Amino acid sequence: MNEHYPFVNPPLPYAYDALEPCIDQKTMCLHHDRHLQTYVDNLNHALKDYPELHTLSLEELLARPDRLPSSVRTAVTNNAGGVFNHIFYFSILGQIEYPGNLLGHIFFTFGNFEEFEKKFTDAALSVFGSGYAWLVFDQTGMLKIITTKNQDTPIPLGLYPMLVIDVWEHAYYLKHYNLRADYIKNWFHIIKQNLFSS
Ligand code: MN3
């Protein structure tokens, strides 16, 4: 994610129906082509009149919000977050290999996969309103589960994201209606397939 202004919406790295039946094609189309596209468009619009920000990557824009002009701080942070979070979410769902022996670290940290799944599910269910649950490495190399609100990211916290689930209702409402827990189970089905096949 080292591109800079003007940002583009990268194509989904797999077919829209590749995650069926866990995540349906229509949700993937709308989520990628409309929701993510809107964040890309709004980010470019917010940056348009600030050439000094045009060479910065998404991570650079997100790392130090205090360095952004106050007139666009909120717009840039929210929309750069929306772009970063969605690209990351789509990418880990299609990933066959995760960096740094992630599965080994999960076993080391949580004892077994079921314990990780339980703790991560609880975290994802605990997000009130819209946001994300993440599995991250902290700066000491320890795995942690965290949640973020709205389009906040782990980047300004100095954390390195490994996995994420988007629990905004638009990520699951068409298929699962209000049942976030069912969607989380389906998300885990995909992630387990990826992790255990590598
Ligand atoms: Mn989303």
Side-chain angles (χ1 to χ4, degrees):
M1 287 193 218
N2 285 315
E3 307 92 341
H4 51 76
Y5 177 90
F7 290 96
V8 295
N9 185 357
L12 195 66
Y14 38 82
Y16 291 104
D17 64 357
L19 306 178
E20 290 270 11
C22 296
I23 302 181
D24 59 293
Q25 177 173 3
K26 191 170 184 189
T27 296
M28 289 303 284
C29 278
L30 291 169
H31 204 174
H32 177 274
D33 292 6
R34 301 215 191 162
H35 289 276
L36 172 51
Q37 186 65 52
T38 300
Y39 288 110
V40 171
D41 294 343
N42 289 345
L43 176 59
N44 286 332
H45 180 75
L47 293 170
K48 182 165 53 80
D49 297 327
Y50 296 85
E52 71 273 24
L53 303 177
H54 289 181
T55 56
L56 300 183
S57 68
L58 277 177
E59 284 91 339
E60 288 167 334
L61 289 168
L62 289 164
R64 293 287 306 271
D66 56 307
R67 286 191 189 162
L68 298 169
S70 58
S71 48
V72 284
R73 187 173 299 146
T74 303
V76 169
T77 301
N78 286 345
N79 289 295
V83 175
F84 178 88
N85 290 342
H86 282 102
I87 291 175
F88 196 79
Y89 169 76
F90 291 133
S91 120
I92 59 105
L93 286 172
Q95 219 156 339
I96 300 304
E97 291 202 18
Y98 299 88
N101 184 17
L102 183 58
L103 194 55
H105 281 279
I106 288 173
F107 277 90
F108 176 76
T109 305
F110 299 96
N112 55 64
F113 198 87
E114 292 65 36
E115 187 62 17
F116 163 61
E117 184 165 348
K118 187 182 170 305
K119 290 208 161 101
F120 193 88
T121 298
D122 288 347
L125 286 172
S126 79
V127 176
F128 183 74
S130 297
Y132 296 81
W134 303 81
L135 181 67
V136 298
F137 279 112
D138 69 14
Q139 282 163 338
T140 67
M142 294 299 294
L143 268 188
K144 275 185 180 167
I145 296 168
I146 65 157
T147 62
T148 54
K149 303 288 296 169
N150 301 315
Q151 293 299 355
D152 290 351
T153 77
I155 303 300
L157 305 172
L159 301 169
Y160 304 95
M162 290 290 117
L163 296 175
V164 69
I165 184 168
D166 181 345
V167 295
W168 285 58
E169 277 190 341
H170 66 233
Y172 60 90
Y173 199 85
L174 288 182
K175 179 180 168 76
H176 300 290
Y177 304 111
N178 57 320
L179 302 176
R180 189 188 286 183
D182 285 3
Y183 160 65
I184 298 169
K185 259 191 211 121
N186 278 284
W187 179 91
F188 260 110
H189 187 83
I190 299 165
I191 295 297
K192 278 190 276 195
Q193 257 179 0
N194 294 350
L195 274 170
F196 286 98
S197 70
S198 61

